[in-house]
Structure formats: C-alpha cells, structure tokens
Amino acid sequence: MSVRLDNRRMHVIRRLSLVAAGLWVALLLLVLFRPAQSDVSPRTGSPVLKNFSAVRADTGRIKITMADESYTLERRGEQWVMEETGGYPVRMDRLNTLAEGLETLTWGARRTSDPNRLSRLGLGDPTEGGNGVLVEVFASDGAKTAEMITGRRGDQLYARAPRENIAFQVNGELPPLYTHEAWLDLDIINIDASSISAVRMTDASGDSIYLTRPPGGSARSFTPAPPFQNDEIRSSLAVSTSALAISRFMPVDVKAESDLSGRPVARHISGTFDGLEIDLRAWREEDGYWATLRAVEAGEGARRARTINDKAQGWAFKLTEYDWREFAPDVSSLVSRAEPSEGVPPPPTDFQP
C-alpha cells in the first residue's frame, strides 16, 4: 500500500514540475518578446503625413531629395511631369502608388533617438550628406504641406520627421525613390524584330549603306541594296545587330531636344514590311549618348507613327554607349566597298545625318 502511495506522489510531483517548467518558459518568452518601453509611442497607428489626406487633391509638387541627386514631380494641368527633364511625363502607375503610400503610411514601433544610429536605418539627413530620402509635398500655391525623411533596411521601411532624431519603423509601402529614371515613361517604341524589312545608315564620316531582306528572312539575311549592291558584308552578325537595333530601343534618361548641342553624328532609318519608318539621329554630347526620333507611316491611319511621335517629338533620349553604337556604327566595319574606278564618282545619295 505504501509503495502505491509513494508512486502516486512521485507522479504528481513530476506533473507539477512539468507545469512549473512550462510556466517559467512562458514567462521567459514573454520577457524576451514583449515590446520594450522605448518601442511604445503615442504616434503608433497615426498617419506619418497627417495632413496628406486633406491636401492630396491640391498637391502641386512632390520633391525627392537624396545626398547625390534630387528630382521633382510636378503637376502641369492634367499631367504630371519631372521638372528636371524639362517637363517629360512621369509614369502614372508609380505616381498613384506613391500617393497611396503617402496617404496610408502609419507610424509603427519607435526604434532610436540616437542621432549617431540613424544612418543604420537609412535615415541620415540627405541635406547633410546622409543616406536618407527627404520627401517634401507642396500645394499648388507652393506652400509646403508635408515632409518626412524615409529609408530602408532590408525589407523594412523607416521614417522620421526632418527636425527630429526619433526614428520609427513605419507600416505601409512606397515605390523605390532612389533613381529618377524609374519614374520616366520611356516605353517609346514597340516593334518586333521580324517586322523590320530595311535599314539605311549614315555614319559620322558621311558613308552610307542601305540594307534589305525578303519577307520571312532571318536576322542574318540582310544584304546590301542599290546603290550599294556591290558592297560585301564583313560580318552578318554585326549587320543584323545594327539593322534590328530599333527593336531594342531602350532609353535610360531623357531631356529636351533643345538642350542638345552641336549636330547629330549619325542617322539610322528603319523600315517595316507594313509601311512604318522610324528616323533616328544619333548625338554624342558631353553628358553622354543621345538619340532623337521621328516616325512616318503610309496610309490614312498612321496610328503607330502618331503614337511614337506623341511621346518622342521635342525630346532626346539617352542611351548606353553600347546601345548607341548599334545605331551609329562605322559603315566600313559592316561592309567592304570596292574603290571606285578613277574618274567614276561614288553612288549618289542625299542621305545625311
């Protein structure tokens, strides 16, 4: 009997010990994961830009400032443009994402009030060379209505008021703000490489070449056409690369065409089997490699040409050097041309950059 009683007591003691251990573990987890007193703030849940909802409809400008660059999104009539490009339109999808983000962004947990630690959260003051992004909102009359410094660390977004050192994690999302190029609507041309039938090129020295291919021809089936039919292709790959370059037209920036200096150094005209022609002129400027465009289309509709010209007229588009050289190769690198006989002039052409 006493043995049974002892066993029962031992069983109860074990159960109580397990319960006690569980309570200690729960208490430890509560201590470890309970928000610290420094994380608690009366701002939690409140809008970061408390005035933005009221002034959103009257917003006239949003200025983004970083240590190494700044740009301004400005409303002009019914259109939003980037001021620094001379007024080129910005992408409305990104603008709407920004506006929604600014309206719904709320303060989360408090993180630090040590000014020496702000840069760890991407919140250094950009006006003093810091790594944060200053966002300023202005009404249509020019009055500043809201502002904040924001930054990222990993996937988390942080913010603070510009004249405060108190940093917070914030709830919500903003589009990437670190490059102005991402805001520009640079989707200018949509042409499939298989639709290109011919290309005419003039290089910086004034040499010209005219290349064509038959319907259904491959990328490497371009051949010299009159008056250059006697030219011999040096590399079918190099020829096809330049001949199809317009199908890969990918600008990285834009500025007003009136800001270009000098003259174009090359010309590249692409034609399609169904009558669209795109005349590109290549410019080499001190600030990089640029191109201007004009489209022409046969027929009464001419919708594709109008769409291209509506976006391209009056603007110069910056290209990488690699892409630009596809539009402005030396003709002598594409074909070998027999020396004209003495007294025989070269084939006539009025095709000039």
Side-chain angles (χ1 to χ4, degrees):
M1 186 73 176
S2 62
V3 172
R4 257 188 223 172
L5 185 59
D6 288 343
N7 288 338
R8 188 178 299 171
R9 286 174 179 169
M10 288 296 296
H11 184 66
V12 171
I13 290 172
R14 287 194 188 99
R15 292 181 64 184
L16 290 174
S17 298
L18 289 173
V19 171
L23 291 173
W24 275 107
V25 170
L27 180 62
L28 179 61
L29 292 174
L30 182 63
V31 170
L32 288 176
F33 292 99
R34 181 181 62 189
Q37 190 65 29
S38 61
D39 291 344
V40 177
S41 170
R43 298 187 192 180
T44 301
S46 299
V48 174
L49 301 182
K50 60 183 180 180
N51 295 326
F52 188 75
S53 293
V55 302
R56 176 177 174 176
D58 188 45
T59 297
R61 284 192 304 136
I62 302 174
K63 184 174 183 180
I64 312 297
T65 302
M66 293 159 285
D68 56 352
E69 79 164 317
S70 66
Y71 57 91
T72 306
L73 312 177
E74 181 181 21
R75 183 168 63 182
R76 295 183 182 175
E78 297 300 317
Q79 190 175 49
W80 280 82
V81 303
M82 184 171 290
E83 186 178 277
E84 288 75 11
T85 63
Y88 192 80
V90 300
R91 290 174 47 185
M92 290 306 299
D93 59 332
R94 289 179 62 91
L95 184 69
N96 291 334
T97 300
L98 175 62
E100 290 294 327
L102 294 178
E103 185 169 6
T104 59
L105 212 61
T106 59
W107 297 109
R110 176 173 167 170
R111 284 296 175 248
T112 184
S113 59
D114 182 352
N116 296 318
R117 303 181 67 181
L118 294 176
S119 61
R120 298 183 185 181
L121 303 179
L123 293 177
D125 190 338
T127 64
E128 298 176 359
N131 60 356
V133 179
L134 174 62
V135 180
E136 300 171 283
V137 181
F138 299 86
S140 56
D141 63 0
K144 185 185 293 186
T145 56
E147 62 180 345
M148 69 172 176
I149 294 177
T150 184
R152 287 185 180 274
R153 184 179 181 185
D155 295 332
Q156 185 58 62
L157 192 63
Y158 298 90
R160 68 181 177 96
R163 282 166 289 281
E164 294 181 355
N165 290 327
I166 307 173
F168 292 83
Q169 171 261 321
V170 293
N171 301 312
E173 194 51 75
L174 295 173
L177 302 173
Y178 294 97
T179 59
H180 79 272
E181 294 89 349
W183 290 89
L184 302 172
D185 182 6
L186 296 175
D187 185 14
I188 311 299
I189 299 172
N190 184 17
I191 295 179
D192 190 85
S194 64
S195 69
I196 299 174
S197 62
V199 61
R200 289 178 284 171
M201 290 179 277
T202 297
D203 64 19
S205 68
D207 284 343
S208 297
I209 184 66
Y210 182 39
L211 303 164
T212 63
R213 67 171 170 175
S218 70
R220 300 194 183 187
S221 61
F222 283 93
T223 57
F228 306 104
Q229 67 273 18
N230 295 324
D231 290 350
E232 294 184 6
I233 291 177
R234 294 182 182 275
S235 166
S236 58
L237 175 59
V239 164
S240 65
T241 297
S242 285
L244 301 177
I246 199 66
S247 68
R248 301 184 299 274
F249 184 70
M250 293 184 294
V252 297
D253 207 346
V254 64
K255 66 180 179 180
E257 184 177 353
S258 59
D259 289 340
L260 292 170
S261 59
R263 298 181 59 198
V265 297
R267 190 176 181 185
H268 184 287
I269 299 180
S270 305
T272 66
F273 289 107
D274 57 356
L276 177 65
E277 187 174 274
I278 300 176
D279 187 346
L280 180 146
R281 305 197 183 204
W283 306 66
R284 186 168 185 171
E285 302 280 290
E286 290 185 1
D287 60 346
Y289 300 86
W290 299 83
T292 54
L293 300 170
R294 186 176 69 88
V296 178
E297 188 173 11
E300 295 181 2
R303 295 176 181 175
R304 294 173 301 172
R306 281 202 303 270
T307 299
I308 293 170
N309 291 334
D310 285 347
K311 286 189 172 184
Q313 187 173 3
W315 302 103
F317 300 94
K318 190 174 187 178
L319 303 176
T320 66
E321 180 179 358
Y322 180 86
D323 289 345
W324 184 87
R325 291 194 181 280
E326 291 185 357
F327 291 104
D330 291 334
V331 168
S332 61
S333 70
L334 302 179
V335 295
S336 59
R337 181 165 293 167
E339 293 293 333
S341 301
E342 187 175 349
V344 178
T349 177
D350 58 356
F351 184 58
Q352 298 295 329

PDB file of all heavy atoms in Angstrom, residues 145-174:
ATOM      1  N   THR A 145       3.205  71.340 -47.456  1.00  0.00           N
ATOM      2  CA  THR A 145       2.109  70.789 -46.658  1.00  0.00           C
ATOM      3  C   THR A 145       2.504  69.543 -45.871  1.00  0.00           C
ATOM      4  O   THR A 145       1.810  69.169 -44.923  1.00  0.00           O
ATOM      5  CB  THR A 145       0.923  70.437 -47.560  1.00  0.00           C
ATOM      6  OG1 THR A 145       1.363  69.532 -48.588  1.00  0.00           O
ATOM      7  CG2 THR A 145       0.349  71.693 -48.208  1.00  0.00           C
ATOM      8  N   ALA A 146       3.593  68.881 -46.231  1.00  0.00           N
ATOM      9  CA  ALA A 146       4.013  67.676 -45.506  1.00  0.00           C
ATOM     10  C   ALA A 146       5.463  67.372 -45.869  1.00  0.00           C
ATOM     11  O   ALA A 146       5.947  67.751 -46.947  1.00  0.00           O
ATOM     12  CB  ALA A 146       3.118  66.491 -45.865  1.00  0.00           C
ATOM     13  N   GLU A 147       6.155  66.657 -44.960  1.00  0.00           N
ATOM     14  CA  GLU A 147       7.529  66.266 -45.216  1.00  0.00           C
ATOM     15  C   GLU A 147       7.931  65.141 -44.292  1.00  0.00           C
ATOM     16  O   GLU A 147       7.367  64.972 -43.200  1.00  0.00           O
ATOM     17  CB  GLU A 147       8.487  67.456 -45.051  1.00  0.00           C
ATOM     18  CG  GLU A 147       8.508  68.045 -43.657  1.00  0.00           C
ATOM     19  CD  GLU A 147       9.468  69.225 -43.527  1.00  0.00           C
ATOM     20  OE1 GLU A 147      10.316  69.405 -44.409  1.00  0.00           O
ATOM     21  OE2 GLU A 147       9.367  69.948 -42.523  1.00  0.00           O
ATOM     22  N   MET A 148       8.903  64.363 -44.722  1.00  0.00           N
ATOM     23  CA  MET A 148       9.461  63.297 -43.886  1.00  0.00           C
ATOM     24  C   MET A 148      10.791  62.860 -44.485  1.00  0.00           C
ATOM     25  O   MET A 148      11.075  63.118 -45.668  1.00  0.00           O
ATOM     26  CB  MET A 148       8.519  62.094 -43.815  1.00  0.00           C
ATOM     27  CG  MET A 148       8.399  61.329 -45.125  1.00  0.00           C
ATOM     28  SD  MET A 148       7.457  59.801 -44.942  1.00  0.00           S
ATOM     29  CE  MET A 148       7.410  59.236 -46.661  1.00  0.00           C
ATOM     30  N   ILE A 149      11.601  62.195 -43.677  1.00  0.00           N
ATOM     31  CA  ILE A 149      12.795  61.500 -44.158  1.00  0.00           C
ATOM     32  C   ILE A 149      12.502  60.013 -44.031  1.00  0.00           C
ATOM     33  O   ILE A 149      12.053  59.548 -42.977  1.00  0.00           O
ATOM     34  CB  ILE A 149      14.046  61.881 -43.356  1.00  0.00           C
ATOM     35  CG1 ILE A 149      14.401  63.348 -43.590  1.00  0.00           C
ATOM     36  CG2 ILE A 149      15.223  60.993 -43.747  1.00  0.00           C
ATOM     37  CD1 ILE A 149      15.578  63.837 -42.775  1.00  0.00           C
ATOM     38  N   THR A 150      12.715  59.277 -45.105  1.00  0.00           N
ATOM     39  CA  THR A 150      12.429  57.850 -45.100  1.00  0.00           C
ATOM     40  C   THR A 150      13.654  57.072 -45.542  1.00  0.00           C
ATOM     41  O   THR A 150      14.565  57.615 -46.184  1.00  0.00           O
ATOM     42  CB  THR A 150      11.225  57.526 -46.010  1.00  0.00           C
ATOM     43  OG1 THR A 150      10.908  56.132 -45.917  1.00  0.00           O
ATOM     44  CG2 THR A 150      11.525  57.854 -47.462  1.00  0.00           C
ATOM     45  N   GLY A 151      13.681  55.806 -45.188  1.00  0.00           N
ATOM     46  CA  GLY A 151      14.798  54.950 -45.561  1.00  0.00           C
ATOM     47  C   GLY A 151      14.421  53.492 -45.402  1.00  0.00           C
ATOM     48  O   GLY A 151      13.382  53.162 -44.826  1.00  0.00           O
ATOM     49  N   ARG A 152      15.272  52.641 -45.915  1.00  0.00           N
ATOM     50  CA  ARG A 152      15.031  51.198 -45.842  1.00  0.00           C
ATOM     51  C   ARG A 152      16.223  50.482 -45.226  1.00  0.00           C
ATOM     52  O   ARG A 152      17.369  50.896 -45.386  1.00  0.00           O
ATOM     53  CB  ARG A 152      14.783  50.611 -47.236  1.00  0.00           C
ATOM     54  CG  ARG A 152      13.444  50.963 -47.830  1.00  0.00           C
ATOM     55  CD  ARG A 152      13.229  50.240 -49.156  1.00  0.00           C
ATOM     56  NE  ARG A 152      11.948  50.585 -49.732  1.00  0.00           N
ATOM     57  CZ  ARG A 152      10.815  49.967 -49.436  1.00  0.00           C
ATOM     58  NH1 ARG A 152      10.819  48.961 -48.571  1.00  0.00           N
ATOM     59  NH2 ARG A 152       9.675  50.340 -49.987  1.00  0.00           N
ATOM     60  N   ARG A 153      15.895  49.395 -44.549  1.00  0.00           N
ATOM     61  CA  ARG A 153      16.911  48.447 -44.110  1.00  0.00           C
ATOM     62  C   ARG A 153      16.332  47.063 -44.355  1.00  0.00           C
ATOM     63  O   ARG A 153      15.389  46.666 -43.679  1.00  0.00           O
ATOM     64  CB  ARG A 153      17.260  48.642 -42.637  1.00  0.00           C
ATOM     65  CG  ARG A 153      18.384  47.727 -42.163  1.00  0.00           C
ATOM     66  CD  ARG A 153      18.700  47.970 -40.715  1.00  0.00           C
ATOM     67  NE  ARG A 153      19.786  47.109 -40.250  1.00  0.00           N
ATOM     68  CZ  ARG A 153      20.213  47.039 -39.006  1.00  0.00           C
ATOM     69  NH1 ARG A 153      19.642  47.798 -38.065  1.00  0.00           N
ATOM     70  NH2 ARG A 153      21.185  46.226 -38.670  1.00  0.00           N
ATOM     71  N   GLY A 154      16.889  46.368 -45.347  1.00  0.00           N
ATOM     72  CA  GLY A 154      16.276  45.117 -45.763  1.00  0.00           C
ATOM     73  C   GLY A 154      14.909  45.389 -46.365  1.00  0.00           C
ATOM     74  O   GLY A 154      14.741  46.260 -47.208  1.00  0.00           O
ATOM     75  N   ASP A 155      13.911  44.642 -45.874  1.00  0.00           N
ATOM     76  CA  ASP A 155      12.544  44.820 -46.374  1.00  0.00           C
ATOM     77  C   ASP A 155      11.739  45.800 -45.540  1.00  0.00           C
ATOM     78  O   ASP A 155      10.573  46.053 -45.851  1.00  0.00           O
ATOM     79  CB  ASP A 155      11.813  43.468 -46.390  1.00  0.00           C
ATOM     80  CG  ASP A 155      12.436  42.491 -47.367  1.00  0.00           C
ATOM     81  OD1 ASP A 155      13.016  42.965 -48.363  1.00  0.00           O
ATOM     82  OD2 ASP A 155      12.352  41.271 -47.124  1.00  0.00           O
ATOM     83  N   GLN A 156      12.339  46.358 -44.515  1.00  0.00           N
ATOM     84  CA  GLN A 156      11.586  47.207 -43.593  1.00  0.00           C
ATOM     85  C   GLN A 156      11.745  48.688 -43.936  1.00  0.00           C
ATOM     86  O   GLN A 156      12.834  49.148 -44.290  1.00  0.00           O
ATOM     87  CB  GLN A 156      12.043  46.964 -42.151  1.00  0.00           C
ATOM     88  CG  GLN A 156      11.244  47.706 -41.106  1.00  0.00           C
ATOM     89  CD  GLN A 156       9.771  47.370 -41.166  1.00  0.00           C
ATOM     90  OE1 GLN A 156       9.376  46.232 -40.968  1.00  0.00           O
ATOM     91  NE2 GLN A 156       8.943  48.367 -41.471  1.00  0.00           N
ATOM     92  N   LEU A 157      10.651  49.426 -43.822  1.00  0.00           N
ATOM     93  CA  LEU A 157      10.625  50.853 -44.103  1.00  0.00           C
ATOM     94  C   LEU A 157      10.656  51.631 -42.797  1.00  0.00           C
ATOM     95  O   LEU A 157       9.980  51.265 -41.821  1.00  0.00           O
ATOM     96  CB  LEU A 157       9.350  51.186 -44.886  1.00  0.00           C
ATOM     97  CG  LEU A 157       9.238  52.567 -45.538  1.00  0.00           C
ATOM     98  CD1 LEU A 157      10.308  52.751 -46.596  1.00  0.00           C
ATOM     99  CD2 LEU A 157       7.849  52.726 -46.156  1.00  0.00           C
ATOM    100  N   TYR A 158      11.443  52.712 -42.771  1.00  0.00           N
ATOM    101  CA  TYR A 158      11.573  53.556 -41.584  1.00  0.00           C
ATOM    102  C   TYR A 158      11.341  55.018 -41.972  1.00  0.00           C
ATOM    103  O   TYR A 158      11.435  55.388 -43.147  1.00  0.00           O
ATOM    104  CB  TYR A 158      12.970  53.407 -40.963  1.00  0.00           C
ATOM    105  CG  TYR A 158      13.275  52.005 -40.498  1.00  0.00           C
ATOM    106  CD1 TYR A 158      13.877  51.082 -41.352  1.00  0.00           C
ATOM    107  CD2 TYR A 158      12.943  51.593 -39.206  1.00  0.00           C
ATOM    108  CE1 TYR A 158      14.143  49.785 -40.934  1.00  0.00           C
ATOM    109  CE2 TYR A 158      13.204  50.297 -38.781  1.00  0.00           C
ATOM    110  CZ  TYR A 158      13.805  49.410 -39.647  1.00  0.00           C
ATOM    111  OH  TYR A 158      14.059  48.124 -39.229  1.00  0.00           O
ATOM    112  N   ALA A 159      11.039  55.821 -40.966  1.00  0.00           N
ATOM    113  CA  ALA A 159      10.821  57.247 -41.245  1.00  0.00           C
ATOM    114  C   ALA A 159      11.039  58.050 -39.971  1.00  0.00           C
ATOM    115  O   ALA A 159      11.025  57.524 -38.857  1.00  0.00           O
ATOM    116  CB  ALA A 159       9.406  57.483 -41.788  1.00  0.00           C
ATOM    117  N   ARG A 160      11.234  59.360 -40.179  1.00  0.00           N
ATOM    118  CA  ARG A 160      11.301  60.311 -39.073  1.00  0.00           C
ATOM    119  C   ARG A 160      10.950  61.682 -39.597  1.00  0.00           C
ATOM    120  O   ARG A 160      10.975  61.943 -40.820  1.00  0.00           O
ATOM    121  CB  ARG A 160      12.687  60.326 -38.433  1.00  0.00           C
ATOM    122  CG  ARG A 160      13.807  60.895 -39.321  1.00  0.00           C
ATOM    123  CD  ARG A 160      15.132  60.836 -38.581  1.00  0.00           C
ATOM    124  NE  ARG A 160      16.254  61.296 -39.386  1.00  0.00           N
ATOM    125  CZ  ARG A 160      16.754  62.531 -39.348  1.00  0.00           C
ATOM    126  NH1 ARG A 160      16.207  63.453 -38.553  1.00  0.00           N
ATOM    127  NH2 ARG A 160      17.789  62.861 -40.105  1.00  0.00           N
ATOM    128  N   ALA A 161      10.601  62.564 -38.705  1.00  0.00           N
ATOM    129  CA  ALA A 161      10.381  63.956 -39.072  1.00  0.00           C
ATOM    130  C   ALA A 161      11.744  64.611 -39.297  1.00  0.00           C
ATOM    131  O   ALA A 161      12.707  64.309 -38.575  1.00  0.00           O
ATOM    132  CB  ALA A 161       9.613  64.679 -37.976  1.00  0.00           C
ATOM    133  N   PRO A 162      11.881  65.497 -40.288  1.00  0.00           N
ATOM    134  CA  PRO A 162      13.196  66.062 -40.619  1.00  0.00           C
ATOM    135  C   PRO A 162      13.903  66.762 -39.467  1.00  0.00           C
ATOM    136  O   PRO A 162      15.127  66.731 -39.402  1.00  0.00           O
ATOM    137  CB  PRO A 162      12.868  67.044 -41.751  1.00  0.00           C
ATOM    138  CG  PRO A 162      11.657  66.487 -42.392  1.00  0.00           C
ATOM    139  CD  PRO A 162      10.854  65.900 -41.265  1.00  0.00           C
ATOM    140  N   ARG A 163      13.174  67.380 -38.568  1.00  0.00           N
ATOM    141  CA  ARG A 163      13.833  68.116 -37.483  1.00  0.00           C
ATOM    142  C   ARG A 163      13.829  67.350 -36.168  1.00  0.00           C
ATOM    143  O   ARG A 163      14.045  67.906 -35.102  1.00  0.00           O
ATOM    144  CB  ARG A 163      13.160  69.481 -37.309  1.00  0.00           C
ATOM    145  CG  ARG A 163      13.597  70.486 -38.385  1.00  0.00           C
ATOM    146  CD  ARG A 163      12.708  71.694 -38.438  1.00  0.00           C
ATOM    147  NE  ARG A 163      11.394  71.378 -38.973  1.00  0.00           N
ATOM    148  CZ  ARG A 163      11.141  71.236 -40.280  1.00  0.00           C
ATOM    149  NH1 ARG A 163      12.107  71.363 -41.155  1.00  0.00           N
ATOM    150  NH2 ARG A 163       9.920  70.946 -40.690  1.00  0.00           N
ATOM    151  N   GLU A 164      13.596  66.051 -36.254  1.00  0.00           N
ATOM    152  CA  GLU A 164      13.627  65.188 -35.075  1.00  0.00           C
ATOM    153  C   GLU A 164      14.624  64.057 -35.283  1.00  0.00           C
ATOM    154  O   GLU A 164      14.857  63.634 -36.416  1.00  0.00           O
ATOM    155  CB  GLU A 164      12.250  64.594 -34.789  1.00  0.00           C
ATOM    156  CG  GLU A 164      11.199  65.606 -34.397  1.00  0.00           C
ATOM    157  CD  GLU A 164       9.861  64.950 -34.108  1.00  0.00           C
ATOM    158  OE1 GLU A 164       9.739  63.718 -34.309  1.00  0.00           O
ATOM    159  OE2 GLU A 164       8.942  65.659 -33.683  1.00  0.00           O
ATOM    160  N   ASN A 165      15.190  63.572 -34.182  1.00  0.00           N
ATOM    161  CA  ASN A 165      16.099  62.431 -34.248  1.00  0.00           C
ATOM    162  C   ASN A 165      15.416  61.133 -33.845  1.00  0.00           C
ATOM    163  O   ASN A 165      16.073  60.097 -33.752  1.00  0.00           O
ATOM    164  CB  ASN A 165      17.317  62.675 -33.350  1.00  0.00           C
ATOM    165  CG  ASN A 165      18.222  63.761 -33.891  1.00  0.00           C
ATOM    166  OD1 ASN A 165      18.355  63.924 -35.101  1.00  0.00           O
ATOM    167  ND2 ASN A 165      18.838  64.527 -32.993  1.00  0.00           N
ATOM    168  N   ILE A 166      14.115  61.161 -33.602  1.00  0.00           N
ATOM    169  CA  ILE A 166      13.389  59.961 -33.190  1.00  0.00           C
ATOM    170  C   ILE A 166      12.985  59.182 -34.435  1.00  0.00           C
ATOM    171  O   ILE A 166      12.236  59.680 -35.275  1.00  0.00           O
ATOM    172  CB  ILE A 166      12.138  60.319 -32.362  1.00  0.00           C
ATOM    173  CG1 ILE A 166      12.510  61.235 -31.206  1.00  0.00           C
ATOM    174  CG2 ILE A 166      11.475  59.053 -31.848  1.00  0.00           C
ATOM    175  CD1 ILE A 166      11.312  61.767 -30.444  1.00  0.00           C
ATOM    176  N   ALA A 167      13.500  57.964 -34.555  1.00  0.00           N
ATOM    177  CA  ALA A 167      13.241  57.141 -35.730  1.00  0.00           C
ATOM    178  C   ALA A 167      12.197  56.079 -35.408  1.00  0.00           C
ATOM    179  O   ALA A 167      12.153  55.534 -34.302  1.00  0.00           O
ATOM    180  CB  ALA A 167      14.529  56.477 -36.197  1.00  0.00           C
ATOM    181  N   PHE A 168      11.361  55.777 -36.394  1.00  0.00           N
ATOM    182  CA  PHE A 168      10.301  54.794 -36.234  1.00  0.00           C
ATOM    183  C   PHE A 168      10.309  53.814 -37.408  1.00  0.00           C
ATOM    184  O   PHE A 168      10.635  54.184 -38.535  1.00  0.00           O
ATOM    185  CB  PHE A 168       8.921  55.475 -36.215  1.00  0.00           C
ATOM    186  CG  PHE A 168       8.665  56.324 -35.001  1.00  0.00           C
ATOM    187  CD1 PHE A 168       9.143  57.633 -34.940  1.00  0.00           C
ATOM    188  CD2 PHE A 168       7.933  55.833 -33.929  1.00  0.00           C
ATOM    189  CE1 PHE A 168       8.902  58.422 -33.834  1.00  0.00           C
ATOM    190  CE2 PHE A 168       7.689  56.615 -32.825  1.00  0.00           C
ATOM    191  CZ  PHE A 168       8.172  57.916 -32.763  1.00  0.00           C
ATOM    192  N   GLN A 169       9.941  52.583 -37.108  1.00  0.00           N
ATOM    193  CA  GLN A 169       9.521  51.673 -38.152  1.00  0.00           C
ATOM    194  C   GLN A 169       8.139  52.142 -38.576  1.00  0.00           C
ATOM    195  O   GLN A 169       7.350  52.586 -37.753  1.00  0.00           O
ATOM    196  CB  GLN A 169       9.481  50.236 -37.624  1.00  0.00           C
ATOM    197  CG  GLN A 169       8.854  49.235 -38.549  1.00  0.00           C
ATOM    198  CD  GLN A 169       7.416  48.971 -38.155  1.00  0.00           C
ATOM    199  OE1 GLN A 169       7.065  48.893 -36.979  1.00  0.00           O
ATOM    200  NE2 GLN A 169       6.564  48.814 -39.167  1.00  0.00           N
ATOM    201  N   VAL A 170       7.845  52.089 -39.884  1.00  0.00           N
ATOM    202  CA  VAL A 170       6.541  52.546 -40.347  1.00  0.00           C
ATOM    203  C   VAL A 170       5.840  51.429 -41.113  1.00  0.00           C
ATOM    204  O   VAL A 170       6.482  50.549 -41.704  1.00  0.00           O
ATOM    205  CB  VAL A 170       6.649  53.812 -41.237  1.00  0.00           C
ATOM    206  CG1 VAL A 170       7.117  54.993 -40.414  1.00  0.00           C
ATOM    207  CG2 VAL A 170       7.567  53.581 -42.415  1.00  0.00           C
ATOM    208  N   ASN A 171       4.517  51.470 -41.076  1.00  0.00           N
ATOM    209  CA  ASN A 171       3.698  50.462 -41.733  1.00  0.00           C
ATOM    210  C   ASN A 171       3.149  51.027 -43.045  1.00  0.00           C
ATOM    211  O   ASN A 171       2.608  52.139 -43.065  1.00  0.00           O
ATOM    212  CB  ASN A 171       2.542  50.055 -40.825  1.00  0.00           C
ATOM    213  CG  ASN A 171       3.031  49.502 -39.501  1.00  0.00           C
ATOM    214  OD1 ASN A 171       3.916  48.652 -39.463  1.00  0.00           O
ATOM    215  ND2 ASN A 171       2.473  50.004 -38.407  1.00  0.00           N
ATOM    216  N   GLY A 172       3.276  50.267 -44.111  1.00  0.00           N
ATOM    217  CA  GLY A 172       2.847  50.726 -45.427  1.00  0.00           C
ATOM    218  C   GLY A 172       3.943  50.480 -46.441  1.00  0.00           C
ATOM    219  O   GLY A 172       4.931  49.799 -46.157  1.00  0.00           O
ATOM    220  N   GLU A 173       3.784  51.041 -47.605  1.00  0.00           N
ATOM    221  CA  GLU A 173       4.755  50.815 -48.674  1.00  0.00           C
ATOM    222  C   GLU A 173       4.874  52.042 -49.555  1.00  0.00           C
ATOM    223  O   GLU A 173       3.915  52.790 -49.742  1.00  0.00           O
ATOM    224  CB  GLU A 173       4.349  49.606 -49.510  1.00  0.00           C
ATOM    225  CG  GLU A 173       5.443  49.085 -50.421  1.00  0.00           C
ATOM    226  CD  GLU A 173       6.750  48.865 -49.681  1.00  0.00           C
ATOM    227  OE1 GLU A 173       6.875  47.891 -48.933  1.00  0.00           O
ATOM    228  OE2 GLU A 173       7.656  49.720 -49.846  1.00  0.00           O
ATOM    229  N   LEU A 174       6.081  52.244 -50.078  1.00  0.00           N
ATOM    230  CA  LEU A 174       6.364  53.310 -51.031  1.00  0.00           C
ATOM    231  C   LEU A 174       7.099  52.702 -52.221  1.00  0.00           C
ATOM    232  O   LEU A 174       7.826  51.719 -52.067  1.00  0.00           O
ATOM    233  CB  LEU A 174       7.247  54.391 -50.396  1.00  0.00           C
ATOM    234  CG  LEU A 174       6.660  55.204 -49.240  1.00  0.00           C
ATOM    235  CD1 LEU A 174       7.741  56.098 -48.638  1.00  0.00           C
ATOM    236  CD2 LEU A 174       5.479  56.049 -49.713  1.00  0.00           C
TER     237      LEU A 174
END
